[in-house]
């Protein structure tokens, strides 16, 4: 089991800071590359640019909660939710019996 985690590509857990504008305000967000990749995938499935997707998500959280305390954490949790829903469709993914999805699929 630990090999699954220990043998992941280092690129996936390297951090990257990206600058963006949300509601006219410049900000920066630092996330691991695996999260940026997942957010790009989600945005693509929504037919949006990453910037537009992040802006919309931020606006929806503001509408729902009134404020956004930790947007980077919200993004990480959003990625986990997205991946867990994908894994629910493929319940045998971790034991290797299910076919693997390629990011381009």
């Amino acid at each position: 089991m630990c090999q699954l985690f220990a043998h992941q590509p280092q690129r996936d857990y390297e951090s990257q800071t990206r600058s963006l504008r949300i509601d006219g305000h410049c900000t920066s967000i630092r996330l691991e590359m695996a999260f940026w990749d997942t957010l790009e995938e989600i945005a693509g499935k929504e037919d949006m640019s990453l910037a537009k997707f992040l802006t919309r998500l931020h606006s929806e959280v503001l509408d729902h909660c009134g404020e956004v305390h930790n947007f980077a954490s919200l993004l990480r949790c959003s990625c986990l939710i997205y991946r867990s829903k994908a894994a629910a469709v493929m319940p045998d993914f971790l034991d290797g019996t299910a076919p693997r999805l390629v990011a381009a699929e």
Side-chain angles (χ1 to χ4, degrees):
M1 177 61 133
C2 288
Q3 288 181 354
L4 174 67
F5 305 118
H7 294 173
Q8 64 183 302
Q10 288 184 1
R11 179 208 175 268
D12 288 353
Y13 55 87
E14 289 175 353
S15 299
Q16 183 180 65
T17 301
R18 297 192 187 182
S19 298
L20 59 139
R21 185 178 299 270
I22 297 178
D23 292 331
H25 301 284
C26 291
T27 190
S28 60
I29 299 172
R30 184 172 187 84
L31 296 173
E32 294 74 16
M33 290 304 298
F35 290 113
W36 285 122
D37 293 343
T38 302
L39 291 168
E40 291 274 3
E41 183 179 326
I42 295 168
K45 287 188 178 204
E46 296 293 322
D47 289 326
M48 292 185 216
S49 68
L50 179 59
K52 184 174 181 178
F53 173 72
L54 295 179
T55 299
R56 180 170 294 172
L57 178 58
H58 190 271
S59 294
E60 288 182 13
V61 172
L62 278 177
D63 289 345
H64 181 71
C65 300
E67 59 186 323
V68 181
H69 289 288
N70 189 333
F71 194 51
S73 291
L74 174 90
L75 295 175
R76 287 185 189 94
C77 290
S78 298
C79 290
L80 291 173
I81 291 167
Y82 174 78
R83 292 289 179 215
S84 69
K85 290 189 178 292
V89 174
M90 298 177 11
D92 297 327
F93 177 73
L94 290 179
D95 70 12
T97 59
R100 296 186 70 167
L101 276 181
V102 178
E105 291 183 54

